[in-house]
Amino acid sequence: MIAAVRRGVAAEAVRTGGLRSVLLLGAVPAGVLLPLLITAVIAYVAERIAGLDSSRISVSAATTSNSVYWIITFTVVVGALVAAYAQATSMRGAAGDVDRYLYRRSWTSPLARWLFYGLVTAAACAVLVAAVMAVLPAVFPLVYSDVDLFSATGLRFLITVPIYAFFACGLGVGLAGLIGHPAGALAALLAWVFVMEEAVIFAPNGTRIQAFMPFLNGVWGTGQDLVISPPWGVNGALAWFAGICAAVFGLGLAAVAARRRPGRAAAEQPA
């Protein structure tokens, strides 16, 4: 069982390798370069404004708890999107046939994808969080002098952002298993993160409902400042997010297993 999952992880690494891979052409620009660029541009503009001798415009000093927001927002979500895309594409056409042939148990390849993309995204987040919190106060001291990697908040980011990223990838794989279509899985995940969780506040008792939204709880659980009031502390919020991700992943496994039933798989193959 463990050997099969290890082979699945290695196979996914080969599948996403090369100069035309989804990791290199999609995840790196959107999940690594973009958040770094946005962070650098905002820091540069804020530093220039802080250096002006003017009483009409000013900026407030940034805190550690707001220093890695764009990494939490973009890197994690892009990792989940790539994981969802990989799972959805592996279930269709020739790739689906290969998947059924290589893995006798239906849960092996989804678990391998969660581990592969989850660990890659978690590692990327850890490196980016450490780099951003180390560079900002050194390069932009007027605004970011209070940012401290080795503070309690900084160390919490270094631990919890990779955890948040890892479970987000599991949710992406599970959601793709449920939906079974690449475009549908990506659209559902993006709508969930950037539309539903923000728009729910306009519903009756929206503030209370929003306190239970999984991604907002996950972000809050990392230590990032957010205006939400979950009925638990930051550790509980991260555990709530992890639990929902595990539940969605479990539902996705059930859906994948159902699609493998004799007759069902043949009927679902695209013409």
Side-chain angles (χ1 to χ4, degrees), residues 9-257:
V9 172
E12 199 63 30
V14 172
R15 182 187 178 205
T16 57
L19 298 178
R20 300 178 63 183
S21 70
V22 66
L23 287 180
L24 184 62
L25 298 181
V28 171
V32 176
L33 300 181
L34 183 59
L36 289 178
L37 177 62
I38 294 175
T39 300
V41 169
I42 292 175
Y44 175 77
V45 173
E47 189 80 358
R48 289 295 301 270
I49 294 175
L52 295 176
D53 184 15
S54 173
S55 59
R56 295 184 178 182
I57 184 171
S58 62
V59 294
S60 300
T63 61
T64 302
S65 59
N66 283 312
S67 58
V68 294
Y69 173 79
W70 298 108
I71 296 170
I72 295 173
T73 300
F74 281 101
T75 308
V76 173
V77 174
V78 168
L81 289 170
V82 172
Y85 178 80
Q87 176 60 34
T89 54
S90 74
M91 299 162 58
R92 298 173 62 80
D97 294 334
V98 171
D99 197 80
R100 292 184 184 90
Y101 177 78
L102 291 178
Y103 306 107
R104 183 168 61 88
R105 298 178 178 89
S106 62
W107 52 263
T108 302
S109 60
L111 179 58
R113 289 185 187 94
W114 182 4
L115 291 175
F116 176 74
Y117 292 104
L119 292 175
V120 168
T121 307
C125 285
V127 171
L128 292 176
V129 164
V132 166
M133 286 195 291
V135 170
L136 283 179
V139 179
F140 307 104
L142 295 180
V143 178
Y144 292 90
S145 60
D146 291 337
V147 174
D148 184 2
L149 171 60
F150 299 103
S151 64
T153 302
L155 292 175
R156 182 176 181 84
F157 274 145
L158 199 58
I159 296 170
T160 57
V161 175
I163 294 174
Y164 170 56
F166 178 79
F167 279 98
C169 290
L171 185 145
V173 172
L175 194 62
L178 279 170
I179 296 174
H181 191 282
L186 299 188
L189 186 56
L190 286 171
W192 185 345
V193 177
F194 294 115
V195 179
M196 186 189 74
E197 295 208 356
E198 298 294 337
V200 74
I201 196 172
F202 298 107
N205 294 318
T207 303
R208 292 185 180 181
I209 298 173
Q210 194 175 51
F212 291 88
M213 292 293 100
F215 278 93
L216 288 177
N217 270 271
V219 173
W220 194 63
T222 65
Q224 171 66 39
D225 288 340
L226 286 181
V227 187
I228 61 172
S229 301
W232 36 63
V234 288
N235 292 331
L238 197 59
W240 171 256
F241 174 74
I244 291 179
C245 291
V248 173
F249 180 75
L251 292 173
L253 290 185
V256 171

